[in-house]
Amino acid sequence: MTLDTRTDPRVAGFGPAARGVRRRGPGLLDVLGRYSFALPAVIFLALFMIYPLVYTFNLSLFDVNAGNFLTGGAAAVGLENYVQFLTSPAFLPSLIITLVFTVGSLVFQHSIGFMFALFFNRGFPLSGVLRALMLVVWVLPAVVSASLWRWIFSGSYGLFNAFLGLIGLPTSEPWLVNPNTALVAVIIANIWIGIPFHMMLLYAGLQGVPAQLYEAASLDGASAWQRFWKITVPMMRPVIIIALLLGFVHTFKVFDLIYVMTAGGPAGATNVLSIEVYKLSFEYFRFGDGAAAANILLIIPLLLSVVYLWLRRREDTTL
């Protein structure tokens, strides 16, 4: 007996007609509905990321200053603004100070954050509460943190000098006014701010390391230090690199903390590249030069990110 798949109710939904209905693609309204969920994100990226980047690059190609900013009569100079900034006397010292500030901050942020991550990874009562309290440092506005540390390092009534007096080292050293100590003080403040960020990234990575590896190593007689170097560090290598890369990109362009604490002084001791960009644009009103300097400030971390991605892909291909 032959069944008619087009009419027999026992095979309804399995005939050619039904299969044809299932093959039909989504309608226009369905497609628009799907893409509408991504529309707010696309609009946000276009307005607050893509447009500013395009506008800044276009601005950097013209000799824009306070006199012709509104009239639109700035002369096109091509890449002259970039060449002028790269060859200016302020560029190399600012770059060196920026690198010292960035590397000095990252070394201690990452090291101390790793220690805290290992500490919290052991698990103990109220560990979650303590982690949340540490995150308060990270979520505080940078202006608030900078004002706090400016008070701590104040020469006359600062908490740091008061602490030194308690341990028998009385001093009234104006740490933020002395060119020899200002950069160190700013680095200490930035280390304090960045520790929770590294701690949380590394803590999340430690959660993914199998406990069986440590148990097997312990049975083989490995010490705690050997377990750390032979198991923790290799397993955490991707997370460590990501934390360092993100930390570098963020620290390299720090502005608000340094501006509130020292404004680039004293005597240019903390004049990082972001401060130089601000001065060119909003103190000297050389908007074209400031835009070129801002693009250079963006390109340096971007190149580092590209190098990391290339090395990462090369490593994955080798494996």
Side-chain angles (χ1 to χ4, degrees):
M1 179 178 179
T2 304
L3 298 177
D4 189 347
T5 58
R6 293 172 296 179
T7 59
D8 196 296
R10 291 175 294 178
V11 292
F14 295 95
R19 289 197 298 270
V21 171
R22 275 198 293 271
R23 289 197 190 101
R24 189 172 58 191
L28 178 61
L29 292 179
D30 293 332
V31 174
L32 293 177
R34 294 174 186 178
Y35 283 104
S36 64
F37 288 102
L39 186 60
V42 172
I43 294 175
F44 178 85
L45 290 174
L47 289 179
F48 297 102
M49 295 189 68
I50 298 176
Y51 172 74
L53 288 174
V54 173
Y55 180 81
T56 303
F57 178 74
N58 180 70
L59 191 67
S60 67
L61 303 178
F62 293 85
D63 184 20
V64 183
N65 52 51
N68 56 32
F69 180 71
L70 295 178
T71 60
V77 294
L79 299 178
E80 183 179 338
N81 289 333
Y82 293 89
V83 175
Q84 185 174 347
F85 178 69
L86 291 173
T87 56
S88 66
F91 172 70
L92 188 57
S94 296
L95 178 61
I96 294 174
I97 293 172
T98 304
L99 291 175
V100 171
F101 172 78
T102 302
V103 175
S105 298
L106 271 183
V107 168
F108 291 97
Q109 284 178 350
H110 193 78
S111 302
I112 300 174
F114 211 152
M115 288 188 289
F116 274 111
L118 292 170
F119 172 71
F120 285 117
N121 192 51
R122 299 175 64 89
F124 56 89
L126 299 180
S127 62
V129 176
L130 292 177
R131 289 200 310 271
L133 290 176
M134 288 194 65
L135 281 178
V136 173
V137 176
W138 174 253
V139 300
L140 274 177
V143 174
V144 175
S145 300
S147 301
L148 173 65
W149 281 97
R150 186 173 62 180
W151 167 68
I152 290 175
F153 284 115
S154 174
S156 55
Y157 53 85
L159 187 62
F160 188 64
N161 284 339
F163 171 75
L164 293 178
L166 289 176
I167 62 176
L169 299 172
T171 179
S172 58
E173 175 69 32
W175 302 97
L176 295 177
V177 182
N178 187 341
N180 297 321
T181 59
L183 183 58
V184 176
V186 172
I187 290 175
I188 292 174
N190 195 58
I191 291 171
W192 179 77
I193 293 173
I195 287 174
F197 171 75
H198 289 265
M199 180 201 71
M200 293 307 297
L201 282 181
L202 295 170
Y203 175 78
L206 287 172
Q207 296 294 297
V209 180
Q212 295 84 351
L213 295 177
Y214 295 107
E215 295 173 359
S218 298
L219 293 175
D220 290 337
S223 64
W225 186 252
Q226 290 173 327
R227 294 196 299 270
F228 175 75
W229 279 110
K230 300 298 183 180
I231 298 177
T232 304
V233 173
M235 294 293 293
M236 291 283 293
R237 185 169 175 267
V239 181
I240 291 173
I241 295 176
I242 286 293
L244 289 174
L245 178 62
L246 294 177
F248 182 90
V249 171
H250 178 266
T251 308
F252 194 84
K253 60 183 182 62
V254 166
F255 167 77
D256 38 16
L257 175 73
I258 299 176
Y259 185 79
V260 173
M261 291 185 68
T262 62
T270 60
N271 191 52
V272 294
L273 285 174
S274 58
I275 295 291
E276 191 64 26
V277 172
Y278 175 84
K279 289 180 179 180
L280 286 172
S281 299
F282 302 108
E283 290 186 6
Y284 309 144
F285 299 107
R286 292 159 48 189
F287 301 115
D289 293 335
N295 287 335
I296 292 173
L297 182 64
L298 173 68
I299 289 172
I300 295 176
L302 182 62
L303 290 176
L304 179 67
S305 303
V306 171
V307 170
Y308 162 74
L309 293 175
W310 177 75
L311 291 175
R312 185 69 179 172
R313 176 174 295 182
R314 182 180 178 183
E315 181 180 343
D316 294 341
T317 304
T318 304
L319 295 176

